[in-house]
């Protein structure tokens, strides 16, 4: 996946340059940082953070490729933008980086799609996700102050909203 290669490349350059890219994370309610909703998902605090996000991104992306690449790309863009805007508007004053909001959005999209579009494949995917990754629900709760639970929470909301819009606006078109 080109997205994963890009994330790995960005992380390597960021490590080599002593974190120069961290300035491109989201800083809530600071107007100059609003465009960073597009760069923040590609920045990670350390290799563990990167690997955890890559695993989730790969798994949920594969599950969503069942529908179509076009639908996956539309969903990802929607989730990244809505999550980033909500983090920018409502998150605590801290630097927010990482793809976790995107991943939580894909996670909740896998589940919510079964509710809004009750096809067998969607229900099967939702059951698989709930059974194997249901524990992610706890990631939307505040815990470690170094972790942007706001990105997790708003990402999960964005995934549900995305499923709603897909069911209403794009039924039989994507």
């Amino acid at each position: 996946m080109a997205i994963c290669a890009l994330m790995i490349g960005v992380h390597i350059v960021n490590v080599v340059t002593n974190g120069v890219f961290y300035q491109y994370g989201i800083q809530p309610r600071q107007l100059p940082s609003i465009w960073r909703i597009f760069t923040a998902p590609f920045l990670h605090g350390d290799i563990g953070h990167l690997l955890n996000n890559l695993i989730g991104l790969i798994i949920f992306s594969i599950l969503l490729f069942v529908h179509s690449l076009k639908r996956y790309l539309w969903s990802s863009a929607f989730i990244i933008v809505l999550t980033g805007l909500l983090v920018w508007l409502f998150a605590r004053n801290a630097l927010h980086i990482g793809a976790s909001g995107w991943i939580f959005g894909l996670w909740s999209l896998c589940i919510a799609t079964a509710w809004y579009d009750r096809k067998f494949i969607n229900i099967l995917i939702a059951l698989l996700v709930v059974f194997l990754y249901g524990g992610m629900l706890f990631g939307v709760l505040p815990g470690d102050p170094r972790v942007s639970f706001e990105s997790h929470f708003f990402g999960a909301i964005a995934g549900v909203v995305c499923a709603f819009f897909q069911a209403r606006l794009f039924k039989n078109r994507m």
Side-chain angles (χ1 to χ4, degrees), residues 1 3 57-58 60-79 102 106 109 162 166 174:
M1 259 171 104
I3 294 170
L57 182 64
I58 291 168
F60 298 123
S61 295
I62 289 170
L63 290 172
L64 289 166
F65 283 156
V66 166
H67 299 290
S68 74
L69 178 61
K70 180 180 177 182
R71 185 168 167 175
Y72 168 77
L73 293 173
W74 184 90
S75 301
S76 289
F78 182 92
I79 289 166
W102 182 9
L106 296 176
L109 177 61
C162 184
Q166 283 181 358
M174 288 183 100

Side-chain angles (χ1 to χ4, degrees), residues 3-14:
I3 294 170
C4 295
L6 177 62
M7 284 185 186
I8 292 168
V10 167
H11 187 71
I12 290 169
V13 172
N14 202 33

Side-chain angles (χ1 to χ4, degrees), residues 107-130:
W107 169 77
S108 66
L109 177 61
C110 287
I111 297 167
T113 297
W115 177 261
Y116 291 113
D117 186 7
R118 296 184 178 147
K119 293 179 183 166
F120 177 75
I121 189 69
N122 296 333
I123 294 168
L124 186 63
I125 289 171
L127 290 173
L128 181 69
V129 168
V130 168

